[in-house]
Amino acid sequence: MTDFSELNTRALLQAYVSGETTPSEYMNWLIERVERVEPKINALYAFKPEWAIEQAKASTERWQKNKPCGPLDGVPVTLKELIATQGDSVPLGTAASDKAPAIEDAPTAARLKEDGAIIFAKTTCPDYGMLSSGLSTFHNLSRNPWDLTQNPGGSSAGAASAGAAGLGTLHIGTDIGGSVRLPAGWTGLFGFKPTLGRIPIYPYYTGRAAGPMTRTVDDAIMVMPTITRPDWRDATSVNYEALDWNVPAADVRGMKIGLMLDAGCGIEAEPEVKTAIIEAAKRFEAEGAEIIEIEPILKREWLDGLDVFWRARFWSTMLKLTEEKRQTILPYIYEWAKTGGKADPLDVIAGFDGTLAMRDACAAVFQEVDVILSPVNPNVSYPAEWASPTNDPQKPFEHIAFTMPWNMGEQPACSINCGFSKSGIPIGLQIVAPRFEDLKVIGLAKAFENWSGKIINWPEF
């Protein structure tokens, strides 16, 4: 069987156009790869090989008639299981959830199907999507393909594992505090969190966004026109713009770029991480940008306040379950949320108000600089079996200090690989731009990818 592992999305579609290959041929290759690799990494949920083969056959017939149904016709894609697909349950990563099938597609799923993409599988997440980990009471333990003893991060854990292992070219995750960028950073992927509301999402919530997790910037570019199309269900969505996502690599000459090496609180960036980010900044400087070291924007009380608010919110959700169901929740999550039931209501409100303070701070910093560079993850890696980098439910968010503020502030941000640790784990560079300047992030990421080169030594299985 032909090896298609080197094809990105654009090349795959070009092969469909030329007849060099067909959706059926590619899908058969992908299914064989999944069956060989998946037992090692546990990335997938609701894998449907028979259905996918049927869809690929129909797509092949359309391409042979030169009548594709959309720009992604026949391209396999995975969605994080939190993104509903009609007929599939949405277990939320936990044994405690109702497993009733979804009655309709979420916006991202609907747009992908309209454009002919084949959602051949969903991807795993931890309980309620509230961990940066592949640990779940419903799914098997997801692992980092670069080192199977290590964590892929989360909560878009399966998407990260699938992308790094080459299980197709397009994977979509969700991100409320870094859940696209964090696992992308630990697995070498390009992870993009757009301006809040740029990709319609349902159910929506403060800071919650969807975004692509792909091996290259170009793969993400190929899917953005589809998943950004409007959907009335997202009351937080921004006014739709038919943006040209295929922007050229950015010219950084004269650009003021802020370098943030200290998040203000949480885990301090480890030396290997800090060195990689500084080297990346030097490359921007060599290309003509002005690098300005900037102070952190996050305050300890804001991070702790968000913790209190989220604990209380999740405990209110868990109180709707029977005691028997609650006992099936991952103990780490259960113990974390339970303390929210004892929180002072005034502290809960203050915690939410902290999100507004973060929003102000995130807007203000862009009065000084055009974009910001920072680490994505403060640490290199941690064991696959851990629930978080601290593995301590009383210190659950120490690792999101570089990423979470931009969810509350609604700015577009990405993770792009900028090197590897001595242990061989990828290190992610975060690029952040002001609200609505999504194309600036894409252009800068494309420039950096051109300078540093794409990863060519992806894990082999």
Side-chain angles (χ1 to χ4, degrees):
M1 182 178 292
T2 301
D3 183 2
F4 295 113
S5 59
E6 298 301 317
L7 290 185
N8 67 6
T9 306
R10 191 181 299 272
L12 179 60
L13 285 165
Q14 289 171 346
Y16 291 169
V17 171
S18 68
E20 183 179 350
T21 192
T22 67
S24 290
E25 290 172 342
Y26 185 81
M27 186 61 72
N28 286 329
W29 169 83
L30 179 57
I31 289 171
E32 186 277 333
R33 186 175 182 90
V34 168
E35 291 174 344
R36 177 165 44 86
V37 174
E38 171 61 10
K40 301 175 184 178
I41 62 171
N42 299 316
L44 304 183
Y45 162 67
F47 174 45
K48 299 179 178 180
E50 295 83 5
W51 178 87
I53 287 172
E54 291 177 4
Q55 295 298 307
K57 180 180 178 181
S59 175
T60 295
E61 292 173 354
R62 290 192 293 270
W63 279 107
Q64 288 173 342
K65 295 175 183 177
N66 197 27
K67 292 183 178 180
C69 68
L72 295 176
D73 197 348
V75 177
V77 61
T78 72
L79 296 182
K80 188 177 182 179
E81 61 106 313
L82 297 180
I83 303 172
T85 47
Q86 187 177 30
D88 298 316
S89 66
V90 185
L92 306 175
T94 181
S97 64
D98 177 18
K99 305 304 186 294
I103 61 174
E104 63 180 359
D105 290 321
T108 300
R111 300 296 86 76
L112 286 165
K113 288 181 179 179
E114 288 166 2
D115 280 0
I118 302 173
I119 304 172
F120 72 97
K122 309 291 285 292
T123 51
T124 65
C125 71
D127 287 51
Y128 296 102
M130 282 306 299
L131 298 175
S132 190
S133 175
L135 185 62
S136 163
T137 56
F138 179 80
H139 302 294
N140 292 328
L141 178 65
S142 298
R143 297 178 178 274
N144 192 328
W146 291 94
D147 181 343
L148 296 177
T149 71
Q150 297 300 293
N151 215 295
S155 60
S156 303
S161 296
L167 304 187
T169 62
L170 297 178
H171 309 276
I172 311 297
T174 63
D175 187 320
I176 198 171
S179 289
V180 162
R181 289 157 291 156
L182 292 165
W186 278 309
T187 57
L189 300 179
F190 175 69
F192 181 49
K193 181 201 78 68
T195 295
L196 185 71
R198 180 74 71 190
I199 298 173
I201 194 168
Y202 188 82
Y204 54 83
Y205 196 73
T206 303
R208 184 171 182 251
M213 300 171 67
T214 57
R215 284 188 170 187
T216 69
V217 178
D218 192 62
D219 283 306
I221 286 171
M222 294 296 290
V223 78
M224 288 300 290
T226 294
I227 61 178
T228 54
R229 289 206 307 273
D231 192 294
W232 68 268
R233 290 171 289 176
D234 186 352
T236 67
S237 61
V238 299
N239 188 46
Y240 172 68
E241 296 178 82
L243 299 176
D244 180 5
W245 291 93
N246 196 26
V247 294
D251 181 350
V252 302
R253 287 176 294 182
M255 190 176 288
K256 292 185 177 181
I257 296 181
L259 176 60
M260 186 182 293
L261 297 172
D262 177 4
C265 55
I267 300 171
E268 182 179 355
E270 293 178 357
E272 285 186 276
V273 172
K274 192 174 291 187
T275 296
I277 303 305
I278 290 172
E279 289 303 310
K282 288 180 179 177
R283 188 56 195 262
F284 281 88
E285 186 174 44
E287 297 292 336
E290 178 185 359
I291 302 298
I292 304 169
E293 289 200 37
I294 59 175
E295 297 297 313
I297 59 171
L298 185 61
K299 297 181 179 180
R300 181 80 248 178
E301 59 264 34
W302 297 346
L303 183 62
D304 290 344
L306 186 68
D307 183 12
V308 171
F309 174 68
W310 277 351
R311 287 177 193 246
R313 176 176 178 263
F314 271 88
W315 186 243
S316 71
T317 298
M318 292 176 188
L319 287 177
K320 299 173 185 176
L321 303 173
T322 65
E323 179 60 27
E324 183 180 12
K325 281 285 190 181
R326 283 199 291 272
Q327 291 303 315
T328 66
I329 296 169
L330 190 74
Y332 182 105
I333 291 290
Y334 181 82
E335 294 302 320
W336 167 75
K338 188 176 181 179
T339 61
K342 301 176 182 178
D344 187 316
L346 295 181
D347 290 337
V348 176
I349 295 300
F352 178 76
D353 286 346
T355 67
L356 304 180
M358 278 186 261
R359 186 184 180 96
D360 285 346
C362 289
V365 72
F366 287 106
Q367 306 310 302
E368 307 171 27
V369 295
D370 300 311
V371 295
I372 292 171
L373 304 180
S374 81
V376 175
N377 311 298
N379 60 313
V380 167
S381 67
Y382 53 104
E385 295 79 10
W386 283 18
S388 74
T390 63
N391 207 32
D392 182 352
Q394 302 312 312
K395 297 180 179 179
F397 300 135
E398 300 301 294
H399 60 288
I400 66 173
F402 283 110
T403 55
M404 179 271 297
W406 313 115
N407 291 81
M408 301 305 114
E410 304 184 5
Q411 286 79 13
C414 77
S415 174
I416 188 166
N417 179 253
C418 65
F420 291 82
S421 69
K422 293 178 182 177
S423 60
I425 299 296
I427 295 172
L429 169 71
Q430 183 169 229
I431 303 173
V432 191
R435 287 177 75 211
F436 311 120
E437 295 192 28
D438 303 64
L439 298 184
K440 180 177 285 187
V441 173
I442 295 294
L444 289 166
K446 186 180 284 187
F448 186 75
E449 186 180 65
N450 288 345
W451 303 333
S452 58
K454 301 178 179 68
I455 294 176
I456 58 174
N457 61 325
W458 290 100
E460 295 288 341
F461 293 93

